[in-house]
Structures are given as structure tokens and as C-alpha cells.
Amino acid sequence: IVRFDTPQVMGILNMTPDSFSDGGRHVDAPERAADAAFAMQLAGASIIDVGGESTRPGAAPVLEGDEIERTVPVIQRLARSGIVVSIDTRKASVMEAALAAGAGIVNDVTGLTHDPRALEVVAAAGCPVILMHTPSAGEDPHGGAVRYKAGAVVDGAADLAVFDWLEARIAVCLAAGVQRERIIVDPGIGFGKALQDDTRIVNNLALYHGLGVPILFGASRKRMVGALTDGAPVAERLGGSVALALKVIEQGAQIVRVHDVVESVQAARVWRGLRDAALVAG
């Protein structure tokens, strides 16, 4: 069970050879990967997000069997230890295998649009699902160059196209029998979006509370951080990633998905401590 009355940190565990940040670190090594996940849990991560296919721009598609072979062994190890695991996949067969292995959450970067069976699998399982916005249900979730029109919302511009897309996907899930309390949304920073689109989403993230479900935000080490810091390489984007996490936590994001769990948990705890009525009164 994951509580949403305080910000939660999701730790990223990539079982891939080519993910943009940590590709190759754990692939073909489920025991070492499990140890890394245990360390993230001890550091304060509430969820471990396990993925077997890179969704970085230009990444090669992965066969379903290979994705299952990469992820299921580590999921089994984590689930036996009582860790809350999400499976980061867009393929129904991988979802089924991961759920059978003990995963409790499905995290689909295409909002259950890539695989025609994905919605059926999630609805039948009755598990929580994270619906991320992407402009394409095809092999490339980034969908090439996409231009979004910003609409005036409160004090700034917000990406209404993303909001409307997520609202539509929520409606589809509800119609299929997925309970609203099991739906989480992710605006999909970096997926088919220019820097201006991403900054609008971050600055107006509170808009997405209008969807009536929890918000997950994932921009850890992404190119947005590099673009705003004179091209900082992936390995040197910790400070910017934490800054973005705190920005969205301040706007009520319930989950931040990160590579750097220790630092992100510490930042979230300081933020929470500053709001603690007893400490403030003292």
C-alpha cells in the first residue's frame, strides 16, 4: 500500500543495455539488480519501477520474450521481500508475466494504447495503472516532432492537449472497468514535447489535479535538465533533477520517479519538514 498524503519517491531500475542513464548496469544480473532495489527501498523509495525496454529516443524495440526474461527474475526477488514493484512496459504479455511474478502496478508509457490487449489485462488484474501521455502508440513513443497549442489557464499557459488526452484515457479505463482510485497519470515529460512544452507542464502541473487522480512526475536526468543547464551531461544532472522534483512536489505531485533516490528522498523530507505544523510552531 502506498500512501498519497505525503510525496512518494519511485526508484528506477532499468534491466536494459541501452537506457539513457543507467543502461547496462543491471542487465543479465537479477541478483545485483535486486540488491540495488533493496538499497533504494532502504533509502526511502516506496515503489521500484522495473523496466526491460528502453524508451529513450531512437531505442531499438525489444522482443516480448526478451523483456520478460530481463524483468521477471528481479521482480520475483523483490516481490518476495514485500517491495511494491511496478512494471514499466507497453506490452500486454509482459504485464501479465510481471503481475504473475509479483508486480503490483503497471506503468505504461503509452497510456495503454500501444498493445490492444493492455487495457484488458489491467482491467482483469484490478491493479493500479500509470497512464503516461505520449503522442504515438507506435514503436516510437516519442512520435517525432509534435507541436502543441497552449491555452490560457489561470496565470499562465498550460498544455491542454496533454490534459485532454489523459482525461480521454481515464474515461476509456473507467469504461473498461478500471476503478478510478487505481488510476495514476503522468504528463510524459520529454515524450514528443519541445522544451517549451515541458516547461509549461512543469509550471502548471497543478492543472492536472483537475483529472481527479494522483500525479506521477518523471523528469529525472532527462534532456530537459540538460537544456536548462547549458548542456549538462546525463551523469551531471542531479541538482536539476532534484530541483524539478521539488517544484512539482510543491504543486502536489504525489509521486516522483527518479534515478537518485537518496537525494530525492532527502529533499522531499526537508520539504515535508518545513510544512510540519509542530516544527513550525516550535
Side-chain angles (χ1 to χ4, degrees), residues 33-256:
D35 288 342
F38 295 145
M40 287 192 280
Q41 184 201 35
L42 288 173
S46 301
I47 308 167
I48 303 299
D49 192 41
V50 180
E53 178 184 49
S54 173
T55 53
R56 64 176 176 79
V62 177
L63 295 175
E64 295 175 352
D66 291 341
E67 197 173 334
I68 290 170
E69 187 175 337
R70 289 175 179 179
T71 57
V72 162
V74 69
I75 290 172
Q76 290 173 330
R77 287 169 169 79
L78 302 184
R80 283 198 298 265
S81 299
I83 292 178
V84 178
V85 179
S86 60
I87 176 64
D88 180 2
T89 186
R90 51 186 176 167
K91 302 182 182 77
S93 62
V94 181
M95 296 174 191
E96 290 173 321
L99 292 168
I105 303 170
V106 167
N107 179 16
D108 185 347
V109 298
T110 71
L112 303 179
T113 63
H114 176 75
D115 191 320
R117 285 203 313 116
L119 178 57
E120 173 189 337
V121 169
V122 168
C127 63
V129 60
I130 299 165
L131 305 173
M132 196 197 83
H133 171 271
T134 180
S136 171
E139 287 302 324
D140 180 7
H142 295 268
V146 180
R147 297 306 306 162
Y148 299 98
K149 292 183 179 179
V153 177
V154 193
D155 295 324
D159 194 343
L160 295 182
V162 175
F163 182 97
D164 291 346
W165 188 94
L166 290 170
E167 187 174 47
R169 293 310 300 163
I170 290 172
V172 168
C173 288
L174 294 175
V178 180
Q179 298 178 358
R180 179 176 286 274
E181 56 266 30
R182 296 189 180 278
I183 298 174
I184 300 165
V185 295
D186 176 352
I189 293 296
F191 282 77
K193 302 172 182 70
L195 177 61
Q196 295 88 339
D197 302 312
D198 286 335
T199 55
R200 283 200 300 269
I201 289 172
V202 172
N203 285 323
N204 296 281
L205 194 77
L207 165 76
Y208 293 88
H209 290 300
L211 294 169
V213 298
I215 300 168
L216 180 147
F217 180 85
S220 178
R221 301 189 193 175
K222 286 188 176 180
R223 65 177 180 266
M224 178 183 185
V225 179
L228 295 173
T229 55
D230 295 325
V234 171
E236 298 175 15
R237 296 176 183 174
L238 171 60
S241 298
V242 171
L244 284 174
L246 284 176
K247 173 71 173 178
V248 298
I249 285 173
E250 186 67 32
Q251 296 185 75
Q254 285 87 351
I255 308 171
V256 288

